[in-house]
Amino acid sequence: MTPARGLGTMVAVCALVAGVAIPAYAATQTPAANAEASTWDEASSESQAFSSSGDLASADLTSTSYSARTADEISQIDAERKALVRAKEQQAAQEEAAVAQQAQQAPQQQSAPVQGAPAAAAPPAEPAPAAPPAANGSWINPLGGAGYYISRSVGSGHEGSDMVTTSQADYTVPIYAAKAGTVITSGEVVGGWGNTIAIDHGDGTTTLYGHMSPGSRQVEVGATVTQGQMIGYVGSTGRSTAHHLHIELRINGAIVDPVGNLPI
Ligand SMILES: [Zn+2]
């Protein structure tokens, strides 16, 4: 006999002795001791039932722990648990989104005052162009770069300056508004001026452009013009013997010589 086999035999003998001896010992005990022994027997028999076939699942286990969990209930509980997990996931996603949104809003909120600063500074800058310009300020030559000479100016009943153009043909030399304003006169026959436009510049000054080419007026009374806007062509309509621009300048209604007040 090998030592290992001898040890196995010894264990088997001990188990056999215990299995026989303990019931035998229980049978010799008092009723109180028998109650303990019977409790031990019940536990032993239950453990044997579970370990062997499971066909003796106790009524207690069935009625308390497992009978309440039918397949439908288990699936329902499982669905509820999954729904709870999804809800937590959605909540977490919403919280992340909220954090991200706050992160995005933070720069905007920080940039808002920055944007507000130029906006607050802008209004003082905007009234500057809107403020009435000085009578002598910011005029342009109404003939642009076209060639001309001044044959006469204010005096002896002549209320403007005559700018005789190098070109003596209709529709060849454009006339530009010397300053922005509103058209107050626009007609083909305006006294001796012929085809004429006048502009109120809104600052107490007005300009008048006479002898324009027939039918060349580009704007009517009430129209708003910008500085440098083309309003017609140099002509010789009205009381005129040559193509020229008769231009008048008034400040607060008073005739002023365009020469020296306009860049002509
Ligand atoms: Zn004239």
Side-chain angles (χ1 to χ4, degrees), residues 152 158 160-162 193 211 244-247:
R152 63 184 295 198
H158 190 244
S161 298
D162 288 337
W193 297 315
H211 309 307
H244 73 284
L245 172 62
H246 173 91
I247 184 165

